[in-house]
């Protein structure tokens, strides 16, 4: 029922939101209506399965895209493209494997193709960009129940975020996939196209670097990192 | 097991990705080596901080709508009909 409401809203209140998808397939609305009667049982089955398997990971994908692009608008575009591609190639998704991992890999490839070609040198961190990004996101999220009003907690989120993004990409990536998105080493190895041993050592070194960063912040602000995670 | 080998296994130990045999050896080493034990505790804590402190945002409603639209072509006309009934 809730899903249907989304569809109504999307069609009648915000027609301009679909420019990106219309660009890829300008006739899909017309086709959708005229061919409705002839849509095969298989196609409907595919849609339902796609919603059940793939659409449920929307929030995770959006957050992954935010981490990669550090820009909410680019992140939205990236997620849209990912789902469009995933839907088209859903038949090639190996049933029984982790659909979230499959989607993450598509998103990462899209990101590389679309954004990284023109980006600055890899490995260089723009702290101002991270700060701006974080504040823009916080402003957007202010009306949600998840927003933090407590300054101490807000600061700490930002520090951890900043520390994570200060790591070289190869370390940040595996930490993110493991600690935030909960993938197994085998899935991560497949995603970053490296052996499991490499995933292990990157996680080891990455966490060590991260800890040093956090200790640096803690000293700077007089915070005791030992108890950070207990103060929520 | 020596410290070098224990460090190789450290992250996998934090993430419960060790085989039974590896875990036995690793835990035995920790019981004998304070330095590695401390490092293990710190690594676990770091993982916990990341898990708990990195904010997970909700996808914007406009994005949710467009993804739902993508996977609901066949229901569009049906929804139109319902709306004008």
């Amino acid at each position: 029922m809730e899903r249907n409401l989304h569809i109504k809203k999307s069609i009648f209140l915000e027609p301009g939101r679909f420019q990106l998808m219309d660009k890829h397939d300008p006739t899909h609305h017309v086709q959708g209506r005229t061919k409705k009667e002839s849509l095969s049982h298989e196609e409907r089955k595919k849609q339902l399965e796609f919603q059940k398997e793939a659409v449920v990971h929307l929030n995770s994908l959006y957050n992954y895209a935010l981490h990669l692009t550090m820009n909410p608008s680019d992140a939205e575009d990236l997620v849209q493209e990912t789902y469009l591609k995933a839907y088209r190639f859903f038949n090639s998704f190996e049933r029984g494997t982790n659909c979230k991992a499959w989607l993450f890999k598509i998103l990462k490839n899209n990101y590389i193709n679309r954004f990284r070609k023109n980006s600055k040198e890899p490995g260089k961190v723009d702290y101002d960009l991270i700060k701006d990004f974080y504040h823009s996101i916080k402003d957007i999220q202010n009306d949600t129940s998840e927003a933090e009003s407590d300054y101490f907690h807000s600061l700490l989120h930002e520090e951890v975020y900043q520390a994570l993004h200060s790591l070289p990409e190869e370390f940040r990536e595996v930490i993110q996939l493991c600690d935030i998105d909960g993938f197994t080493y085998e899935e991560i190895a497949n995603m970053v196209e490296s052996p499991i041993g490499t995933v292990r050592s990157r996680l080891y070194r990455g966490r060590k670097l991260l800890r040093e960063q956090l200790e640096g912040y803690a000293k700077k602000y007089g915070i005791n990192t030992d108890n950070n995670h207990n103060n929520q | 097991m020596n410290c070098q080998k224990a460090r190789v296994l450290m992250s996998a130990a934090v993430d419960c990705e060790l085989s039974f045999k590896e875990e036995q050896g690793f835990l035995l080493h920790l019981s004998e080596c304070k330095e590695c034990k401390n490092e293990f505790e710190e690594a676990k804590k770091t993982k916990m901080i990341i898990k708990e402190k990195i904010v997970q945002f909700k996808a914007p409603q406009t994005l949710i709508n467009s993804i739902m639209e993508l996977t609901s072509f066949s229901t569009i006309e049906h929804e139109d009909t319902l709306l004008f009934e």
Side-chain angles (χ1 to χ4, degrees):
Chain A
M1 195 60 203
E2 202 186 345
R3 181 177 66 81
N4 290 343
L5 284 175
H6 292 163
I7 295 163
K8 280 178 195 168
K9 260 192 206 166
S10 70
I11 297 165
F12 294 102
L13 300 180
E14 297 173 297
R17 290 301 307 171
F18 303 107
Q19 280 181 347
L20 185 74
M21 291 198 304
D22 287 347
K23 219 183 285 168
H24 288 282
D25 184 2
T27 58
H28 91 250
H29 279 293
V30 178
Q31 283 177 345
R33 285 158 200 259
T34 54
K35 285 190 179 175
K36 178 237 174 188
E37 296 302 330
S38 60
L39 260 176
S40 65
H41 175 68
E42 280 71 31
E43 190 64 18
R44 280 198 295 273
K45 209 176 134 192
K46 180 184 166 187
Q47 288 172 351
L48 283 174
E49 195 191 354
F50 189 76
Q51 285 172 5
K52 206 175 128 197
E53 283 273 342
V55 178
V56 291
H57 301 300
L58 180 55
N59 273 333
S60 299
L61 274 182
Y62 177 65
N63 278 278
Y64 184 46
L66 276 177
H67 274 276
L68 290 173
T69 63
M70 291 199 284
N71 177 314
S73 166
D74 286 344
E76 275 197 54
D77 286 352
L78 199 53
V79 173
Q80 279 196 337
E81 274 184 16
T82 301
Y83 272 110
L84 196 69
K85 201 174 272 183
Y87 188 70
R88 279 185 185 155
F89 295 100
F90 193 46
N91 290 336
S92 69
F93 165 64
E94 202 181 317
R95 302 303 190 270
T97 61
N98 188 343
C99 191
K100 187 176 162 186
W102 182 69
L103 291 166
F104 267 55
K105 202 164 180 185
I106 296 174
L107 191 143
K108 176 79 187 294
N109 285 338
N110 275 2
Y111 165 71
I112 291 169
N113 290 335
R114 185 175 163 158
F115 293 100
R116 239 185 11 188
K117 277 176 193 162
N118 305 320
S119 74
K120 59 190 186 306
E121 281 177 62
K124 284 204 170 178
V125 178
D126 183 341
Y127 288 102
D128 287 339
L129 187 67
I130 289 173
K131 217 168 183 177
D132 289 348
F133 160 73
Y134 197 89
H135 283 296
S136 72
I137 284 290
K138 266 205 298 202
D139 290 343
I140 290 167
Q141 298 288 329
N142 267 349
D143 57 343
T144 74
S145 55
E146 289 186 0
E148 287 279 358
S149 56
D150 183 287
Y151 177 73
F152 173 77
H153 282 134
S154 296
L155 178 72
L156 215 53
H157 287 302
E158 187 174 337
E159 305 299 351
V160 178
Y161 189 91
Q162 197 160 315
L164 185 63
H165 274 269
S166 72
L167 300 183
E169 187 176 340
E170 57 180 9
F171 299 128
R172 178 181 60 77
E173 183 176 39
V174 289
I175 288 180
Q176 188 177 326
L177 293 172
C178 180
D179 296 346
I180 299 175
D181 293 300
F183 290 113
T184 66
Y185 282 18
E186 197 181 343
E187 287 163 346
I188 296 170
N190 180 33
M191 273 187 262
V192 303
E193 291 171 355
S194 303
I196 286 183
T198 307
V199 174
R200 280 183 175 190
S201 70
R202 281 185 192 170
L203 277 167
Y204 171 73
R205 291 171 64 196
R207 285 187 182 132
K208 213 169 173 179
L209 283 171
L210 193 77
R211 194 156 63 243
E212 285 164 15
Q213 287 281 343
L214 289 173
E215 275 164 14
Y217 291 128
K219 273 179 198 155
K220 193 172 160 192
Y221 293 105
I223 300 167
N224 178 8
T225 42
D226 286 351
N227 297 316
N228 280 351
H229 58 281
N230 295 326
N231 284 345
Q232 291 239 67
Chain B
M1 187 179 292
N2 58 23
C3 292
Q4 197 183 351
K5 172 79 176 157
R7 282 186 197 119
V8 170
L9 299 181
M10 190 74 75
S11 62
V14 170
D15 298 311
C16 304
E17 287 260 2
L18 291 181
S19 68
F20 180 73
K21 205 178 157 192
E22 283 174 329
E23 193 178 7
Q24 295 294 304
F26 182 77
L27 291 176
L28 183 67
H29 177 75
L30 287 203
S31 68
E32 296 162 346
C33 176
K34 204 178 167 190
E35 200 180 322
C36 284
K37 189 169 174 17
N38 283 343
E39 200 171 330
F40 180 56
E41 293 304 324
E42 286 299 318
K44 280 201 292 189
K45 211 178 289 169
T46 307
K47 182 186 172 87
M48 186 76 84
I49 289 172
I50 291 287
K51 267 178 86 169
E52 293 189 4
K53 288 296 176 187
I54 293 292
V55 179
Q56 290 288 289
F57 297 104
K58 281 182 184 163
Q61 193 59 44
T62 49
L63 180 63
I64 297 171
N65 290 344
S66 66
I67 302 302
M68 293 312 295
E69 166 90 346
L70 168 71
T71 58
S72 307
F73 296 156
S74 66
T75 61
I76 288 172
E77 191 170 306
H78 182 56
E79 291 299 320
D80 286 0
T81 313
L82 278 181
L83 210 74
F84 293 113
E85 262 174 4

